[in-house]
Amino acid sequence: EVQLVESGGGLVQSGGSLRLSCAASGFGFDDNVIGWFRQAPGKERESVSCISPSDGRTFYTPTVKGRFTISSDKALHTVYLQMNSLKPEDTAVYSCAARLNSGSYYYVNSYEYNYWGQGTQVTVSS
């Protein structure tokens, strides 16, 4: 059974940092892509970042590039999202997702992913 479990969300002041984790089970990291998405109240879900753990290729949406870093630990089967210089507009529910049998590393649409975690709340106060 494929499972994705996020952790690490919380409340932080503007300018602070958080590290989100996405623990994956039930599938291998080879040929797969793990993505982070977020959804703020009243807004559509948007892509934040994604990574191909097998070769390390990454993508960042422009609004987080330079502040967020995605990484993976293949031994732990976990993907991380290090978020620095957080802003109030980063407040959202963050979810990780897996696309299996990927032919690329660049997947930014939620419909391109097969499995989703339950999400973790990130709140940035001003």
Side-chain angles (χ1 to χ4, degrees), residues 37-47 63 87-94 110:
F37 289 77
R38 66 185 180 186
Q39 187 167 21
K43 295 188 176 180
E44 292 188 356
R45 180 184 286 169
E46 65 170 343
S47 171
T63 54
K87 305 174 181 180
E89 51 263 44
D90 294 317
T91 295
V93 174
Y94 285 70
S110 57

Side-chain angles (χ1 to χ4, degrees), residues 71-103:
S71 62
S72 66
D73 185 322
K74 294 173 71 174
L76 294 179
H77 228 222
T78 299
V79 170
Y80 303 98
L81 185 68
Q82 177 67 43
M83 306 187 295
N84 298 329
S85 302
L86 282 163
K87 305 174 181 180
E89 51 263 44
D90 294 317
T91 295
V93 174
Y94 285 70
S95 301
C96 65
R99 177 186 168 96
L100 307 188
N101 302 314
S102 304

Side-chain angles (χ1 to χ4, degrees), residues 10 15 17-18 21 31 36 44 46 64 75 78 82-83 91-92 97 99-101 107-108 112 119-120 123:
S17 298
L18 284 174
S21 299
D31 298 323
W36 283 98
E44 292 188 356
E46 65 170 343
V64 308
T78 299
Q82 177 67 43
M83 306 187 295
T91 295
R99 177 186 168 96
L100 307 188
N101 302 314
Y107 296 100
V108 298
E112 295 175 305
T120 185
T123 303

